[in-house]
mmCIF file of all heavy atoms in Angstrom:
data_model
loop_
_atom_site.group_PDB
_atom_site.id
_atom_site.type_symbol
_atom_site.label_atom_id
_atom_site.label_comp_id
_atom_site.label_asym_id
_atom_site.label_seq_id
_atom_site.Cartn_x
_atom_site.Cartn_y
_atom_site.Cartn_z
ATOM 1 N N ARG K 21 -12.673 3.872 23.024
ATOM 2 C CA ARG K 21 -13.290 4.537 24.206
ATOM 3 C C ARG K 21 -14.744 4.162 24.358
ATOM 4 O O ARG K 21 -15.223 3.904 25.461
ATOM 5 C CB ARG K 21 -13.146 6.050 24.124
ATOM 6 C CG ARG K 21 -11.793 6.582 24.601
ATOM 7 C CD ARG K 21 -11.808 8.076 24.816
ATOM 8 N NE ARG K 21 -12.315 8.842 23.667
ATOM 9 C CZ ARG K 21 -11.520 9.246 22.677
ATOM 10 N NH1 ARG K 21 -10.242 8.974 22.638
ATOM 11 N NH2 ARG K 21 -12.062 9.939 21.661
ATOM 12 N N ALA K 22 -15.450 4.151 23.233
ATOM 13 C CA ALA K 22 -16.896 3.879 23.271
ATOM 14 C C ALA K 22 -17.250 2.436 23.690
ATOM 15 O O ALA K 22 -18.211 2.224 24.390
ATOM 16 C CB ALA K 22 -17.520 4.193 21.907
ATOM 17 N N VAL K 23 -16.425 1.475 23.242
ATOM 18 C CA VAL K 23 -16.738 0.073 23.536
ATOM 19 C C VAL K 23 -15.892 -0.535 24.601
ATOM 20 O O VAL K 23 -16.165 -1.646 25.095
ATOM 21 C CB VAL K 23 -16.663 -0.808 22.232
ATOM 22 C CG1 VAL K 23 -17.709 -0.311 21.223
ATOM 23 C CG2 VAL K 23 -15.281 -0.864 21.647
ATOM 24 N N GLY K 24 -14.801 0.125 24.989
ATOM 25 C CA GLY K 24 -13.951 -0.363 26.034
ATOM 26 C C GLY K 24 -13.141 -1.581 25.679
ATOM 27 O O GLY K 24 -12.656 -2.318 26.586
ATOM 28 N N GLU K 25 -12.920 -1.835 24.406
ATOM 29 C CA GLU K 25 -12.169 -2.997 23.941
ATOM 30 C C GLU K 25 -11.033 -2.556 23.062
ATOM 31 O O GLU K 25 -10.861 -1.358 22.766
ATOM 32 C CB GLU K 25 -13.068 -3.980 23.152
ATOM 33 C CG GLU K 25 -14.302 -4.426 23.884
ATOM 34 C CD GLU K 25 -14.058 -5.336 25.111
ATOM 35 O OE1 GLU K 25 -12.860 -5.733 25.343
ATOM 36 O OE2 GLU K 25 -15.029 -5.613 25.839
ATOM 37 N N THR K 26 -10.214 -3.497 22.628
ATOM 38 C CA THR K 26 -9.109 -3.210 21.718
ATOM 39 C C THR K 26 -9.630 -3.087 20.290
ATOM 40 O O THR K 26 -10.355 -3.928 19.818
ATOM 41 C CB THR K 26 -8.063 -4.339 21.780
ATOM 42 O OG1 THR K 26 -7.582 -4.392 23.149
ATOM 43 C CG2 THR K 26 -6.866 -4.052 20.883
ATOM 44 N N VAL K 27 -9.205 -2.013 19.622
ATOM 45 C CA VAL K 27 -9.646 -1.729 18.247
ATOM 46 C C VAL K 27 -8.400 -1.697 17.388
ATOM 47 O O VAL K 27 -7.410 -1.040 17.736
ATOM 48 C CB VAL K 27 -10.375 -0.390 18.150
ATOM 49 C CG1 VAL K 27 -10.729 -0.043 16.703
ATOM 50 C CG2 VAL K 27 -11.665 -0.448 18.984
ATOM 51 N N THR K 28 -8.425 -2.386 16.282
ATOM 52 C CA THR K 28 -7.283 -2.350 15.353
ATOM 53 C C THR K 28 -7.786 -2.020 13.915
ATOM 54 O O THR K 28 -8.912 -2.367 13.560
ATOM 55 C CB THR K 28 -6.516 -3.719 15.295
ATOM 56 O OG1 THR K 28 -7.459 -4.760 15.189
ATOM 57 C CG2 THR K 28 -5.684 -3.897 16.561
ATOM 58 N N LEU K 29 -6.928 -1.383 13.170
ATOM 59 C CA LEU K 29 -7.152 -1.187 11.726
ATOM 60 C C LEU K 29 -6.271 -2.241 11.058
ATOM 61 O O LEU K 29 -5.076 -2.277 11.297
ATOM 62 C CB LEU K 29 -6.743 0.202 11.286
ATOM 63 C CG LEU K 29 -6.836 0.448 9.762
ATOM 64 C CD1 LEU K 29 -8.293 0.504 9.311
ATOM 65 C CD2 LEU K 29 -6.098 1.717 9.365
ATOM 66 N N GLU K 30 -6.877 -3.102 10.273
ATOM 67 C CA GLU K 30 -6.141 -4.222 9.715
ATOM 68 C C GLU K 30 -6.235 -4.241 8.173
ATOM 69 O O GLU K 30 -7.278 -3.878 7.633
ATOM 70 C CB GLU K 30 -6.667 -5.524 10.302
ATOM 71 C CG GLU K 30 -6.606 -5.491 11.822
ATOM 72 C CD GLU K 30 -6.834 -6.800 12.540
ATOM 73 O OE1 GLU K 30 -7.246 -7.756 11.865
ATOM 74 O OE2 GLU K 30 -6.573 -6.833 13.729
ATOM 75 N N VAL K 31 -5.126 -4.650 7.554
ATOM 76 C CA VAL K 31 -5.072 -4.679 6.087
ATOM 77 C C VAL K 31 -4.639 -6.077 5.663
ATOM 78 O O VAL K 31 -4.048 -6.853 6.416
ATOM 79 C CB VAL K 31 -4.074 -3.634 5.520
ATOM 80 C CG1 VAL K 31 -4.566 -2.215 5.834
ATOM 81 C CG2 VAL K 31 -2.680 -3.862 6.047
ATOM 82 N N LEU K 32 -4.935 -6.431 4.422
ATOM 83 C CA LEU K 32 -4.488 -7.617 3.769
ATOM 84 C C LEU K 32 -3.154 -7.344 3.165
ATOM 85 O O LEU K 32 -3.025 -6.439 2.316
ATOM 86 C CB LEU K 32 -5.525 -8.056 2.714
ATOM 87 C CG LEU K 32 -5.184 -9.365 1.976
ATOM 88 C CD1 LEU K 32 -5.169 -10.565 2.895
ATOM 89 C CD2 LEU K 32 -6.206 -9.602 0.852
ATOM 90 N N ASP K 33 -2.122 -8.081 3.584
ATOM 91 C CA ASP K 33 -0.765 -7.866 3.084
ATOM 92 C C ASP K 33 -0.144 -9.201 2.763
ATOM 93 O O ASP K 33 0.024 -10.019 3.711
ATOM 94 C CB ASP K 33 0.062 -7.072 4.077
ATOM 95 C CG ASP K 33 1.482 -6.862 3.567
ATOM 96 O OD1 ASP K 33 1.648 -6.384 2.431
ATOM 97 O OD2 ASP K 33 2.435 -7.154 4.320
ATOM 98 N N ASP K 34 0.152 -9.477 1.505
ATOM 99 C CA ASP K 34 0.802 -10.719 1.169
ATOM 100 C C ASP K 34 -0.001 -11.940 1.680
ATOM 101 O O ASP K 34 0.536 -12.846 2.275
ATOM 102 C CB ASP K 34 2.205 -10.716 1.822
ATOM 103 C CG ASP K 34 3.251 -11.355 0.923
ATOM 104 O OD1 ASP K 34 2.908 -11.596 -0.270
ATOM 105 O OD2 ASP K 34 4.337 -11.650 1.368
ATOM 106 N N ASP K 35 -1.303 -11.877 1.442
ATOM 107 C CA ASP K 35 -2.229 -12.991 1.806
ATOM 108 C C ASP K 35 -2.369 -13.225 3.319
ATOM 109 O O ASP K 35 -2.822 -14.264 3.727
ATOM 110 C CB ASP K 35 -1.776 -14.271 1.113
ATOM 111 C CG ASP K 35 -1.932 -14.179 -0.399
ATOM 112 O OD1 ASP K 35 -2.415 -13.155 -0.887
ATOM 113 O OD2 ASP K 35 -1.559 -15.141 -1.090
ATOM 114 N N GLN K 36 -1.955 -12.257 4.116
ATOM 115 C CA GLN K 36 -2.178 -12.348 5.558
ATOM 116 C C GLN K 36 -2.750 -11.038 6.062
ATOM 117 O O GLN K 36 -2.663 -10.029 5.399
ATOM 118 C CB GLN K 36 -0.885 -12.686 6.304
ATOM 119 C CG GLN K 36 -0.422 -14.087 6.025
ATOM 120 C CD GLN K 36 0.779 -14.423 6.876
ATOM 121 O OE1 GLN K 36 1.781 -13.751 6.881
ATOM 122 N NE2 GLN K 36 0.671 -15.505 7.653
ATOM 123 N N ILE K 37 -3.362 -11.087 7.259
ATOM 124 C CA ILE K 37 -3.934 -9.903 7.878
ATOM 125 C C ILE K 37 -2.891 -9.297 8.825
ATOM 126 O O ILE K 37 -2.294 -9.992 9.627
ATOM 127 C CB ILE K 37 -5.189 -10.285 8.672
ATOM 128 C CG1 ILE K 37 -6.307 -10.694 7.691
ATOM 129 C CG2 ILE K 37 -5.667 -9.129 9.567
ATOM 130 C CD1 ILE K 37 -6.774 -9.575 6.736
ATOM 131 N N VAL K 38 -2.714 -7.977 8.673
ATOM 132 C CA VAL K 38 -1.688 -7.286 9.488
ATOM 133 C C VAL K 38 -2.357 -6.024 10.079
ATOM 134 O O VAL K 38 -2.840 -5.170 9.346
ATOM 135 C CB VAL K 38 -0.454 -6.870 8.668
ATOM 136 C CG1 VAL K 38 0.597 -6.200 9.572
ATOM 137 C CG2 VAL K 38 0.143 -8.039 7.927
ATOM 138 N N PRO K 39 -2.361 -5.897 11.417
ATOM 139 C CA PRO K 39 -2.848 -4.702 12.064
ATOM 140 C C PRO K 39 -1.816 -3.567 11.865
ATOM 141 O O PRO K 39 -0.640 -3.782 12.138
ATOM 142 C CB PRO K 39 -2.974 -5.059 13.538
ATOM 143 C CG PRO K 39 -2.912 -6.537 13.569
ATOM 144 C CD PRO K 39 -2.056 -6.966 12.416
ATOM 145 N N ILE K 40 -2.280 -2.390 11.439
ATOM 146 C CA ILE K 40 -1.346 -1.237 11.236
ATOM 147 C C ILE K 40 -1.678 -0.093 12.166
ATOM 148 O O ILE K 40 -0.906 0.878 12.205
ATOM 149 C CB ILE K 40 -1.377 -0.777 9.767
ATOM 150 C CG1 ILE K 40 -2.793 -0.332 9.320
ATOM 151 C CG2 ILE K 40 -0.857 -1.877 8.819
ATOM 152 C CD1 ILE K 40 -2.870 0.386 7.995
ATOM 153 N N GLU K 41 -2.758 -0.158 12.914
ATOM 154 C CA GLU K 41 -3.074 0.849 13.921
ATOM 155 C C GLU K 41 -3.832 0.165 15.053
ATOM 156 O O GLU K 41 -4.564 -0.785 14.793
ATOM 157 C CB GLU K 41 -3.937 1.939 13.293
ATOM 158 C CG GLU K 41 -4.171 3.179 14.175
ATOM 159 C CD GLU K 41 -2.882 3.820 14.639
ATOM 160 O OE1 GLU K 41 -2.170 4.403 13.791
ATOM 161 O OE2 GLU K 41 -2.607 3.744 15.836
ATOM 162 N N GLN K 42 -3.642 0.617 16.269
ATOM 163 C CA GLN K 42 -4.322 -0.016 17.421
ATOM 164 C C GLN K 42 -4.641 1.023 18.481
ATOM 165 O O GLN K 42 -3.873 1.948 18.732
ATOM 166 C CB GLN K 42 -3.367 -1.096 18.048
ATOM 167 C CG GLN K 42 -3.955 -1.723 19.298
ATOM 168 C CD GLN K 42 -3.076 -2.881 19.823
ATOM 169 O OE1 GLN K 42 -2.579 -3.659 19.004
ATOM 170 N NE2 GLN K 42 -2.965 -3.011 21.120
ATOM 171 N N ALA K 43 -5.832 0.854 19.081
ATOM 172 C CA ALA K 43 -6.246 1.695 20.203
ATOM 173 C C ALA K 43 -6.833 0.769 21.240
ATOM 174 O O ALA K 43 -7.501 -0.203 20.898
ATOM 175 C CB ALA K 43 -7.265 2.711 19.771
ATOM 176 N N THR K 44 -6.625 1.060 22.512
ATOM 177 C CA THR K 44 -7.025 0.165 23.561
ATOM 178 C C THR K 44 -8.067 0.851 24.447
ATOM 179 O O THR K 44 -7.916 1.969 24.868
ATOM 180 C CB THR K 44 -5.824 -0.258 24.420
ATOM 181 O OG1 THR K 44 -4.849 -0.776 23.529
ATOM 182 C CG2 THR K 44 -6.214 -1.348 25.398
ATOM 183 N N GLY K 45 -9.175 0.124 24.706
ATOM 184 C CA GLY K 45 -10.253 0.664 25.534
ATOM 185 C C GLY K 45 -10.009 0.420 26.992
ATOM 186 O O GLY K 45 -9.109 -0.289 27.407
ATOM 187 N N SER K 46 -10.845 1.019 27.813
ATOM 188 C CA SER K 46 -10.654 1.064 29.278
ATOM 189 C C SER K 46 -10.775 -0.308 29.931
ATOM 190 O O SER K 46 -10.037 -0.633 30.838
ATOM 191 C CB SER K 46 -11.718 1.966 29.904
ATOM 192 O OG SER K 46 -13.006 1.518 29.514
ATOM 193 N N THR K 47 -11.667 -1.183 29.438
ATOM 194 C CA THR K 47 -11.858 -2.475 30.087
ATOM 195 C C THR K 47 -10.859 -3.506 29.543
ATOM 196 O O THR K 47 -10.853 -4.647 29.973
ATOM 197 C CB THR K 47 -13.293 -3.034 29.905
ATOM 198 O OG1 THR K 47 -13.578 -3.080 28.527
ATOM 199 C CG2 THR K 47 -14.294 -2.134 30.618
ATOM 200 N N SER K 48 -10.063 -3.116 28.591
ATOM 201 C CA SER K 48 -9.115 -4.062 27.998
ATOM 202 C C SER K 48 -7.889 -4.188 28.890
ATOM 203 O O SER K 48 -6.997 -3.363 28.854
ATOM 204 C CB SER K 48 -8.711 -3.556 26.604
ATOM 205 O OG SER K 48 -7.797 -4.429 26.032
ATOM 206 N N VAL K 49 -7.923 -5.177 29.774
ATOM 207 C CA VAL K 49 -6.782 -5.385 30.627
ATOM 208 C C VAL K 49 -5.646 -6.133 29.893
ATOM 209 O O VAL K 49 -4.514 -6.144 30.328
ATOM 210 C CB VAL K 49 -7.165 -6.173 31.923
ATOM 211 C CG1 VAL K 49 -7.967 -5.338 32.840
ATOM 212 C CG2 VAL K 49 -7.918 -7.466 31.553
ATOM 213 N N VAL K 50 -6.025 -6.781 28.816
ATOM 214 C CA VAL K 50 -5.012 -7.503 28.035
ATOM 215 C C VAL K 50 -4.229 -6.472 27.235
ATOM 216 O O VAL K 50 -4.768 -5.800 26.378
ATOM 217 C CB VAL K 50 -5.706 -8.470 27.035
ATOM 218 C CG1 VAL K 50 -4.661 -9.404 26.424
ATOM 219 C CG2 VAL K 50 -6.780 -9.288 27.770
ATOM 220 N N SER K 51 -2.967 -6.359 27.555
ATOM 221 C CA SER K 51 -2.157 -5.319 26.829
ATOM 222 C C SER K 51 -1.407 -5.995 25.688
ATOM 223 O O SER K 51 -0.195 -5.930 25.618
ATOM 224 C CB SER K 51 -1.206 -4.671 27.815
ATOM 225 O OG SER K 51 -0.393 -5.650 28.417
ATOM 226 N N VAL K 52 -2.188 -6.681 24.849
ATOM 227 C CA VAL K 52 -1.596 -7.324 23.669
ATOM 228 C C VAL K 52 -1.281 -6.257 22.633
ATOM 229 O O VAL K 52 -2.166 -5.451 22.320
ATOM 230 C CB VAL K 52 -2.537 -8.358 23.082
ATOM 231 C CG1 VAL K 52 -1.914 -9.043 21.867
ATOM 232 C CG2 VAL K 52 -2.911 -9.435 24.122
ATOM 233 N N ASN K 53 -0.088 -6.267 22.123
ATOM 234 C CA ASN K 53 0.211 -5.402 21.014
ATOM 235 C C ASN K 53 0.099 -6.204 19.741
ATOM 236 O O ASN K 53 0.937 -7.044 19.453
ATOM 237 C CB ASN K 53 1.628 -4.813 21.137
ATOM 238 C CG ASN K 53 1.900 -3.796 20.064
ATOM 239 O OD1 ASN K 53 1.105 -3.609 19.152
ATOM 240 N ND2 ASN K 53 3.031 -3.162 20.111
ATOM 241 N N TRP K 54 -0.981 -5.966 19.006
ATOM 242 C CA TRP K 54 -1.239 -6.688 17.758
ATOM 243 C C TRP K 54 -0.489 -6.134 16.581
ATOM 244 O O TRP K 54 -0.411 -6.768 15.533
ATOM 245 C CB TRP K 54 -2.764 -6.657 17.451
ATOM 246 C CG TRP K 54 -3.565 -7.418 18.435
ATOM 247 C CD1 TRP K 54 -4.267 -6.910 19.506
ATOM 248 C CD2 TRP K 54 -3.823 -8.833 18.463
ATOM 249 N NE1 TRP K 54 -4.908 -7.904 20.159
ATOM 250 C CE2 TRP K 54 -4.650 -9.099 19.535
ATOM 251 C CE3 TRP K 54 -3.383 -9.883 17.651
ATOM 252 C CZ2 TRP K 54 -5.089 -10.385 19.850
ATOM 253 C CZ3 TRP K 54 -3.813 -11.192 17.944
ATOM 254 C CH2 TRP K 54 -4.665 -11.393 19.040
ATOM 255 N N LEU K 55 0.071 -4.924 16.729
ATOM 256 C CA LEU K 55 0.658 -4.227 15.572
ATOM 257 C C LEU K 55 1.763 -5.092 14.889
ATOM 258 O O LEU K 55 2.688 -5.573 15.542
ATOM 259 C CB LEU K 55 1.236 -2.879 15.957
ATOM 260 C CG LEU K 55 0.185 -1.821 16.369
ATOM 261 C CD1 LEU K 55 0.873 -0.565 16.816
ATOM 262 C CD2 LEU K 55 -0.772 -1.560 15.218
ATOM 263 N N GLY K 56 1.597 -5.223 13.599
ATOM 264 C CA GLY K 56 2.603 -6.000 12.834
ATOM 265 C C GLY K 56 2.508 -7.454 12.934
ATOM 266 O O GLY K 56 3.218 -8.199 12.216
#
Side-chain angles (χ1 to χ4, degrees):
R21 276 194 307 274
V23 299
E25 304 293 351
T26 300
V27 175
T28 48
L29 175 70
E30 305 192 349
V31 296
L32 180 64
D33 179 50
D34 218 12
D35 295 355
Q36 290 186 304
I37 291 297
V38 184
I40 59 169
E41 188 57 70
Q42 176 174 323
T44 307
S46 57
T47 57
S48 179
V49 288
V50 189
S51 57
V52 179
N53 185 355
W54 293 98
L55 292 177

